[in-house]
Amino acid sequence: MASSRPVISATLRPSRLRRFFASEFFHNYKRNLSAVLGSLIVFLFLAMVTAGPFIVSQNPYDVAQLDLMAAFKPPVWLEGGSSEFWLGTDGQGRDVLASIVYGSRISLVIGLVAMGGACLLGTTLGLIAGFYGGRLDAFIMRIADIQLSFPSVLTALFLMSAFGTGLDKVLIALISVGWVVYARTVRGSTLRETQKEYVQAARVSGLPNRRIILRHVLPNVLTPLIVVATIQVGTFVLIEASLSFLGVGVPVTQPSLGLLIKNGFDVLFSGLWWVSIFPGLFIMLLVFGINLLGDFLRDELNPRLK
Amino acid sequence: MTESSMPRPGNVTTPLLSVKGLRTWFHTFGGIVKAVDGVSFDVAPGEIMGLVGESGGGKSMIGFSIMGLIDPPGRVEAGSIEFGGRDLARLGEDEMRSIRGKEIAMIFQDPMTALNPLYTIGNQIEETLALHTTLSARERREKAIEMLHKVGIPQPEQRLHHYPHQFSGGMRQRVVIAIAMIARPRLLIADEPTTALDVTIQAQLLRLMRQQVEESGTSLILITHDLAAVSQMADTIVVLYCGRIVERGPAGDIIARPRHPYTRGLIDSIPHETDIDGAKRRLSQIPGNVPDIRKLPPGCAFAPRCPRASGLCRMQDPVLSEREGTGDGQGPRRLHATACHHPLTVSP
């Protein structure tokens, strides 16, 4: 034992927030126009789906608030448009803008929840496959390969035919397709990390495998996932829209943006374009924003591009 | 394995670690890799043992076998690893975990990756303590600071909050040593601890390790290909070739009077001061390469590279045997064993 015990002194460290604002990451973000634009779009969408329902004039799914007389009104700037319905109305007199606000909510929730589920499942399986290797690894990765050969539409169709429609089935369909990319990414990084000596060091210091995986491997394989997860929210919104458009997505009582497009599709060629086109534009905008953000994160978090 | 245990000169205690007939084989598609093939040695309490050999000679696998960390397709096929009255080769994973880090610690070659980049070094030092002791967070912190102080990290109270990338290679290896020594293990296995470091700090760190193990009475197995480093530190030296012990004995004896042509070759490959002075001697090398361990020739594995090899060597495996005493006249007879049909007898 050392005779003179060193004095323990509290070290002053700036708060997390302040450190974030002073970081290189934030500095690069400020100077990157597409990153700012992307995050602005995503932020506006989030604001819209949280505060929107309190602002728009009607709840499009409360039948009492609908007026069939107001059906198929064009957007406000066209002849016959009403200032009450900025983006026009559909066949039941539903305000298209209000439908979009409510629909975006469902689309985004589906995108985020499915991403979370896929991320959790894929990361867990990827960690197990990469850390333990051997037969378990081969088994998990073969399932991943099989999964990749099923288009999500097919998976959704199977689920719908077996269990009927519903939000949960859409989520299951998306997760069962989406986990593969996490599993592969995580497995790859896990293989790389377990080669490093700090994992060996953790093993020789007697740490149980579970703790090595959670404490040492997992945090070191997370960075690439942030990018995958961000982009995937956009992808999921798109896939869900296609599923709903094909009629194997969300039920009509919980219409997403995709379902709105489908609803308007029937009258699209009668010149009532606004019912479909506006939800479509919003999907495009949302996915565009997410992708801009994802691109920035990829450039920023990939050590090879720095 | 016929040879008996090897007591330390003038120190007849029961060994801390006694490895007998250890075989660690890897069952690969290309055949069985006998990474460790019938290795026996003893390590006395407080002894420093050098485990020397070329790359691919199975040195590291001995360390991992002791730790019980051989991954498939590898397996400890046979042999016993007696440590403190228990056979580690037969312990379950849970029991092994309580030994790892607490009673046997291990450090590795590359200080650049030996620490987790995401945690402060204080955090990583305390992790071992949290796992193996019941100390409070405050006590752990104090011990960590004290340990960093001991391994020569200046301003340990501040450095505790720093991340690995804020340290130089040499400093990181000091931290690694601190982590290994903090639970006061009875045995430290150092696998090429200085190979990745600047030549200028290699000696410093070896000295530090030696001082640390001497202070706490820890035994040390120093795995290295650097015979020069070992010769200054170790009490005993074990020379491995292709998974087998070719020579084993007191360090001074082996350096001064190597019996096995391979050991001799290793010693001759060390540059001497005279080389720098005026290139008086051409640095010699051992001809050829380490053979493919899956397709070892019959007989002595070193025979194809050996200047003294005879027909016998190519047919019959030499047995590790303790030959006549070295007769340096000090203390009890030092046991110097070699596996060679035609051992060297003349001093170099």
Side-chain angles (χ1 to χ4, degrees):
Chain A
M1 295 289 137
S3 51
S4 63
R5 180 164 291 161
V7 187
I8 301 166
S9 64
T11 43
L12 286 171
R13 286 196 296 170
S15 74
R16 264 177 205 281
L17 198 65
R18 186 161 301 174
R19 269 187 291 161
F20 176 74
F21 282 128
S23 68
E24 187 192 348
F25 181 84
F26 188 70
H27 175 80
N28 289 347
Y29 168 80
K30 276 187 304 191
R31 289 153 50 109
N32 189 326
L33 186 67
S34 61
V36 174
L37 185 65
S39 54
L40 193 69
I41 292 172
V42 171
F43 176 78
L44 285 178
F45 256 92
L46 289 174
M48 182 176 90
V49 301
T50 44
F54 303 104
I55 296 167
V56 290
S57 56
Q58 57 160 235
N59 176 354
Y61 302 101
D62 180 1
V63 186
Q65 293 182 28
L66 299 183
D67 179 7
L68 272 181
M69 299 301 290
F72 292 132
K73 284 233 190 272
V76 62
W77 61 87
L78 291 181
E79 204 184 324
S82 148
S83 62
E84 200 184 335
F85 309 111
W86 283 9
L87 299 181
T89 60
D90 70 359
Q92 269 110 45
R94 280 191 290 243
D95 181 14
V96 171
L97 182 62
S99 303
I100 287 172
V101 168
Y102 279 79
S104 303
R105 192 175 219 192
I106 288 164
S107 287
L108 254 183
V109 165
I110 288 177
L112 287 171
V113 172
M115 179 274 282
C119 186
L120 201 68
L121 181 69
T123 307
T124 311
L125 290 175
L127 280 172
I128 292 172
F131 190 84
Y132 291 103
R135 293 215 179 112
L136 204 57
D137 178 26
F139 180 68
I140 291 174
M141 294 329 285
R142 288 306 78 73
I143 292 183
D145 290 341
I146 294 168
Q147 194 62 62
L148 274 191
S149 61
F150 274 95
S152 51
V153 176
L154 204 59
T155 314
L157 276 174
F158 283 149
L159 284 167
M160 302 291 160
S161 60
F163 305 107
T165 56
L167 223 92
D168 48 343
K169 278 83 174 183
V170 176
L171 288 178
I172 293 173
L174 290 177
I175 290 172
S176 68
V177 177
W179 68 272
V180 177
V181 55
Y182 296 97
R184 291 193 155 178
T185 314
V186 169
R187 176 180 173 269
S189 337
T190 303
L191 284 176
R192 210 168 36 246
E193 290 302 313
T194 44
Q195 297 298 311
K196 295 196 181 158
E197 286 176 354
Y198 70 87
V199 174
Q200 297 287 7
R203 291 179 78 193
V204 298
S205 68
L207 246 58
N209 282 340
R210 233 172 59 106
R211 207 156 133 194
I212 297 175
I213 293 175
L214 291 179
R215 219 182 107 79
H216 289 286
V217 182
L218 177 63
N220 278 299
V221 300
L222 277 185
T223 313
L225 292 193
I226 297 174
V227 181
V228 176
T230 310
I231 306 256
Q232 197 178 55
V233 175
T235 319
F236 276 172
V237 167
L238 280 180
I239 296 180
E240 182 278 322
S242 340
L243 290 179
S244 294
F245 185 81
L246 292 170
V248 291
V250 292
V252 280
T253 49
Q254 291 165 306
S256 63
L257 290 175
L259 199 63
L260 294 182
I261 299 177
K262 175 188 157 70
N263 289 344
F265 184 70
D266 302 332
V267 293
L268 184 62
F269 299 110
S270 331
L272 307 169
W273 51 270
W274 58 87
V275 188
S276 271
I277 295 298
F278 286 121
L281 285 177
F282 270 82
I283 290 184
M284 198 203 81
L285 194 65
L286 173 61
V287 176
F288 177 62
I290 290 173
N291 285 349
L292 284 184
L293 199 58
D295 274 352
F296 166 71
L297 290 176
R298 191 186 55 209
D299 293 349
E300 207 47 40
L301 300 178
N302 186 344
R304 249 169 295 173
L305 295 177
K306 290 206 113 175
Chain B
M1 302 303 102
T2 52
E3 71 274 16
S4 57
S5 66
M6 181 179 56
R8 214 186 157 198
N11 185 7
V12 191
T13 45
T14 44
L16 173 72
L17 176 78
S18 177
V19 175
K20 286 203 175 65
L22 179 69
R23 285 173 201 271
T24 304
W25 291 1
F26 288 76
H27 300 265
T28 67
F29 288 112
I32 295 176
V33 179
K34 299 177 179 175
V36 182
D37 194 22
V39 164
S40 306
F41 59 85
D42 286 353
V43 182
E47 177 181 337
I48 298 179
M49 188 189 97
L51 202 55
V52 187
E54 279 167 284
S55 321
K59 296 169 300 191
S60 301
M61 286 310 138
I62 292 182
F64 281 110
S65 302
I66 295 171
M67 278 290 184
L69 287 174
I70 297 289
D71 286 324
R75 210 160 67 108
V76 174
E77 302 280 333
S80 66
I81 305 165
E82 295 269 347
F83 177 81
R86 279 178 292 184
D87 184 0
L88 301 187
R90 272 158 200 63
L91 282 191
E93 174 64 17
D94 284 346
E95 289 167 292
M96 271 318 290
R97 265 215 308 275
S98 65
I99 289 176
R100 284 181 210 135
K102 183 162 195 244
E103 296 187 51
I104 308 180
M106 192 163 175
I107 58 183
F108 298 99
Q109 176 176 345
D110 187 4
M112 291 300 148
T113 62
L115 297 165
N116 190 329
L118 296 179
Y119 298 106
T120 63
I121 59 144
N123 201 318
Q124 297 184 57
I125 297 176
E126 288 172 38
E127 186 171 38
T128 314
L129 281 180
L131 193 69
H132 295 297
T133 66
T134 52
L135 296 178
S136 71
R138 199 193 150 83
E139 289 168 319
R140 288 205 297 268
R141 221 180 98 97
E142 279 173 20
K143 275 202 93 157
I145 290 173
E146 189 188 302
M147 199 66 222
L148 282 181
H149 192 73
K150 275 203 210 166
V151 296
I153 305 256
Q155 297 174 305
E157 336 34 78
Q158 274 98 60
R159 293 301 253 167
L160 211 55
H161 299 292
H162 288 184
Y163 289 88
H165 70 267
Q166 293 165 297
F167 290 81
S168 70
M171 281 293 160
R172 277 190 227 189
Q173 200 66 320
R174 283 169 193 268
V175 173
V176 169
I177 293 173
I179 292 175
M181 293 300 293
I182 191 140
R184 296 190 140 252
R186 291 201 276 164
L187 174 66
L188 176 65
I189 301 172
D191 190 351
E192 305 264 7
T194 58
T195 308
L197 296 175
D198 268 6
V199 184
T200 46
I201 45 178
Q202 285 184 358
Q204 258 182 42
L205 272 157
L206 285 174
R207 236 187 342 265
L208 172 72
M209 273 174 51
R210 181 175 174 162
Q211 175 202 330
Q212 285 301 310
V213 295
E214 275 173 2
E215 233 171 75
S216 58
T218 304
S219 303
L220 171 66
I221 297 181
L222 185 64
I223 300 173
T224 181
H225 62 261
D226 184 359
L227 195 61
V230 158
S231 66
Q232 292 160 22
M233 271 188 75
D235 302 315
T236 49
I237 291 180
V238 170
V239 183
L240 280 182
Y241 188 75
C242 290
R244 295 184 175 205
I245 293 180
V246 294
E247 187 157 14
R248 193 183 64 187
D253 213 36
I254 290 208
I255 300 296
R257 280 173 293 277
R259 294 265 190 77
H260 198 283
Y262 178 62
T263 316
R264 173 70 187 272
L266 286 179
I267 293 169
D268 287 347
S269 325
I270 304 171
H272 288 283
E273 281 156 41
T274 51
D275 297 340
I276 303 155
D277 292 346
K280 293 201 179 84
R281 184 177 71 96
R282 192 185 164 86
L283 197 59
S284 71
Q285 53 176 18
I286 303 172
N289 288 313
V290 180
D292 186 346
I293 204 159
R294 287 166 303 188
K295 302 186 200 93
L296 286 184
C300 176
F302 188 60
R305 301 170 73 185
C306 183
R308 299 168 67 87
S310 66
L312 176 66
C313 301
R314 295 195 178 85
M315 281 155 57
Q316 199 185 15
D317 228 354
V319 178
L320 186 68
S321 56
E322 282 145 6
R323 304 232 166 170
E324 71 277 8
T326 53
D328 55 1
Q330 32 173 284
R333 197 175 74 116
R334 296 177 166 203
L335 294 175
H336 184 154
T338 184
C340 185
H341 291 304
H342 311 290
L344 300 156
T345 45
V346 198
S347 300

